[in-house]
Amino acid sequence: MGSKTLQMLIVPLASMLLLLGSTSAQLSVGYYSKTCPNAEDIVRKEMIQILAKAPSLAAPFLRMHFHDCFVRGCDGSVLLDSTSGTKAEKDAKPNLTLRGFGSVERVKAKLEKACPNTVSCADVLALMARDSVWLSKGPTWPVWLGRKDGRISIANETKQLPPPKANLTQLIQMFGVKGLDLKDLVVLSGGHTIGTAHCSSISDRLYNFTGLDNLSDVDPFLDMKYITKLRSKCSPTDTKTLIEMDPGSFKTFDNSYYKLVAKRRSAFHSDWALLTNSFTRDYVLKHANGFESEFFQDFADSMIKMGNVDVLTGSQGEIRKTCSVVNY
């Protein structure tokens, strides 16, 4: 699919203009139209090849973009390696399960060959996240480009990332400080329709929910049949086994995530928390019963909004030659 086709907006014009209100004027669709006109085509071509060989990487690319934007804004800081004096974000506990860094470097290298010192790593990650969703049969959207890469990455700042065990009050606060509202929260949670999770991230819901440490100490808000199924895969101390976030269609971007949440069969406590608020609960129940095209539209809107969180533009950052290290 060419760059002109990519710019066929899934987002209606009125919605787009509304979103632009909080977006830096230095970001734009087609930002590289003169300096690297084939940039989006290059990314798309590489993504098709990458996901053809490893389709399970789609969710990690989406997650990586999310984790990037929630810490220091969408500046590519999640891609930086630790140095002798600083432990970087990617080595912090919430990011130890991130995958796909090598693929990001692969795409960046292709862009550097075609257009040296032009396309930022932050923009590469935003484009890869978009293409991951589209190649998983989900929506596409126009990515506003022109981000610059940051030069700072601090592991301790990953405390800003919403944890799997967060309740709704915590989630609202963590999204709110990024300029994301209640609708963005419930919509972006729908990204859990693709991907996997480690048993260690849900083991407390299965074995030790309140600290009693016995087989009866389970999360009462998790469906018992689902608990039995998860226990058949996850032991109390399992840190390596992966479970499907959306069993049966974890490689397909659809609205089935909401069906699981409604049935109390979602993996994370933060997913179940969506049922504790009237607005988010109504959204879950509505989209558990269809309205997939509406969800796709909402997801596109919220991804554009998230992708513009605290971006660096102009002279605020740099264009890294290699995404894992700052320029010297």
Side-chain angles (χ1 to χ4, degrees), residues 70 151 237:
F70 262 69
R151 295 177 56 85
T237 57

Side-chain angles (χ1 to χ4, degrees), residues 50-64:
I50 290 167
L51 294 184
K53 293 183 178 179
S56 64
L57 280 176
F61 292 141
L62 178 61
R63 182 175 176 232
M64 196 183 297

Side-chain angles (χ1 to χ4, degrees), residues 170-198:
Q170 294 170 315
L171 292 171
I172 290 173
Q173 190 277 329
M174 296 177 112
F175 274 70
V177 296
K178 303 302 176 184
L180 301 172
D181 59 26
L182 199 57
K183 184 173 182 180
D184 297 315
L185 165 58
V186 66
V187 168
L188 291 174
S189 294
H192 287 165
T193 186
I194 55 173
T196 57
H198 284 81

Side-chain angles (χ1 to χ4, degrees), residues 2-19:
S3 58
K4 290 184 179 179
T5 305
L6 286 178
Q7 292 175 25
M8 291 177 64
L9 310 185
I10 188 172
V11 184
L13 181 59
S15 179
M16 181 71 70
L17 293 175
L18 179 62
L19 290 164

Side-chain angles (χ1 to χ4, degrees), residues 53-223:
K53 293 183 178 179
S56 64
L57 280 176
F61 292 141
L62 178 61
R63 182 175 176 232
M64 196 183 297
H65 180 47
F66 182 95
H67 282 217
D68 184 38
C69 292
F70 262 69
V71 181
R72 290 189 166 268
C74 311
D75 68 343
S77 57
V78 73
L79 303 170
L80 287 171
D81 287 341
S82 294
T83 64
S84 57
T86 305
K87 185 177 179 180
E89 293 170 32
K90 67 164 57 171
D91 292 321
K93 186 176 180 180
N95 287 334
L96 292 178
T97 55
L98 289 180
R99 299 186 294 128
F101 291 105
S103 294
V104 177
E105 295 290 7
R106 166 181 165 172
V107 175
K108 172 63 173 172
K110 288 286 186 178
L111 289 165
E112 281 297 302
K113 184 177 180 180
C115 316
N117 309 312
T118 302
V119 183
S120 69
C121 295
D123 278 349
V124 170
L125 193 50
L127 289 168
M128 291 178 71
R130 187 269 307 274
D131 288 354
S132 292
V133 171
W134 183 78
L135 290 168
S136 300
K137 301 182 180 181
T140 187
W141 57 90
V143 177
W144 296 84
L145 300 169
R147 300 168 188 79
K148 294 298 173 61
D149 296 321
R151 295 177 56 85
I152 300 171
S153 183
I154 302 172
N156 193 49
E157 292 184 347
T158 57
K159 292 179 180 179
Q160 300 172 71
L161 293 170
K165 298 179 183 179
N167 59 40
L168 197 72
T169 299
Q170 294 170 315
L171 292 171
I172 290 173
Q173 190 277 329
M174 296 177 112
F175 274 70
V177 296
K178 303 302 176 184
L180 301 172
D181 59 26
L182 199 57
K183 184 173 182 180
D184 297 315
L185 165 58
V186 66
V187 168
L188 291 174
S189 294
H192 287 165
T193 186
I194 55 173
T196 57
H198 284 81
C199 285
S200 55
S201 65
I202 64 164
S203 61
D204 67 310
R205 302 189 76 192
L206 307 179
Y207 295 103
N208 189 27
F209 190 64
T210 65
L212 296 178
D213 198 19
N214 62 54
L215 292 179
S216 298
D217 191 17
V218 299
D219 186 341
F221 302 109
L222 192 59
D223 178 73

